[in-house]
Amino acid sequence: MGFKTLTAPAPFADETSCQCQAPHEKLTIAQARRGTPVDRPVRVYADGIFDLFHAGHARALMQAKTLFPNSYLLVGVCSDDLTHKFKGFTVMSETERYEALRHCRYVDEVIRDAPWTLTPEFLEKHKIDFVAHDDIPYSSAGSDDVYKHIKEAGMFVPTQRTEGISTSDIITRIVRDYDVYARRNLQRGYTAKELNVSFINEKKYRFQNQVDKMKEKVKNVEEKSKEFVYKVEEKSHDLIQKWEEKSREFIGNFLELFGPDGAWKQMFQERSGRMLQAFSPRQSPNSSPTRGRSPSRSPSPPWVINKTSPPSSPKAASASLSSMSEGDEDEK
């Protein structure tokens, strides 16, 4: 039966012919913990409402299933009528709660319409050895603890509650955030009548939904704008970097051509030298023949003026010119 719970839903007690065939002898907790024969598993019973079935429920059933080495877990689920009478209104219907329990891996069998208080007849009918529940006294139906007689009979085995999660906690969250859930379900197509929402609240919720949509659009536009600006900045940075590289290259080429030691200066100097050579040719070599000149004297051309002793007056200038003419006559 344990294998079936992993591959198929657990059966309902009133629809199965699987019954414990072995003689139902009363077991002690010590005997159950030592282990029992395969054909005589310890039959453990756990009951509850199991509304909004959650992890806390599952953990309690896991503890009940693993109390003994060889156990068969029966889970009783109270009906809607009984639950509404003794505890209060439920979110899930009894059919939904039955089905939730059938698909829990720790459950071997589900008992529908379970009693609120366990009677000896019910325990004998289902051949229950032990009842598993948390040890906190459960006051209900005019009793301080509905499990008191089970504890006195030595058939009670405690489990630990899971803190921070319960059906009441989940309902409290829904009530606290009622507006959020109502608006969400209106968006999903539920009518105001189905949600038990007034006409004014319906309009208010729909207006808030429209405002939220506008906020979301503005947020998307802002994000896209930021992305666009980022891309523009990134491209601008690349353009500036390329411009700087080209500028350095241009300046380098300019200095190489027109700088102090550039190619343009060398070319200018070469051309200037050629022009100077063209306008002032080189003098004849000293070994060239002369016309009867004494080797120790090389007369200056008549047009060269002595720069070291310039004539102090017009008379001195005329005297020097007459002396130059006399000298020419002597050479002739």
Side-chain angles (χ1 to χ4, degrees), residues 266-332:
Q266 295 177 2
M267 183 174 63
F268 180 75
Q269 289 176 348
E270 291 177 359
R271 290 187 178 181
S272 298
R274 291 176 185 174
M275 291 177 66
L276 289 173
Q277 288 180 1
F279 285 110
S280 59
R282 295 179 180 177
Q283 296 179 358
S284 300
N286 295 332
S287 60
S288 60
T290 58
R291 292 182 296 176
R293 295 177 182 174
S294 61
S296 60
R297 182 183 177 186
S298 58
S300 300
W303 57 81
V304 177
I305 302 174
N306 189 1
K307 295 180 181 180
T308 56
S309 57
S312 59
S313 63
K315 291 182 178 181
S318 61
S320 62
L321 288 173
S322 61
S323 64
M324 287 175 62
S325 61
E326 288 177 359
D328 290 341
E329 289 177 357
D330 291 339
E331 286 182 1
K332 291 179 181 179

Side-chain angles (χ1 to χ4, degrees), residues 16-34:
T16 180
S17 59
C18 178
Q19 298 292 335
C20 182
Q21 301 298 329
H24 189 70
E25 297 177 359
K26 186 174 178 60
L27 293 172
T28 64
I29 292 179
Q31 290 174 328
R33 286 177 176 168
R34 281 198 301 266

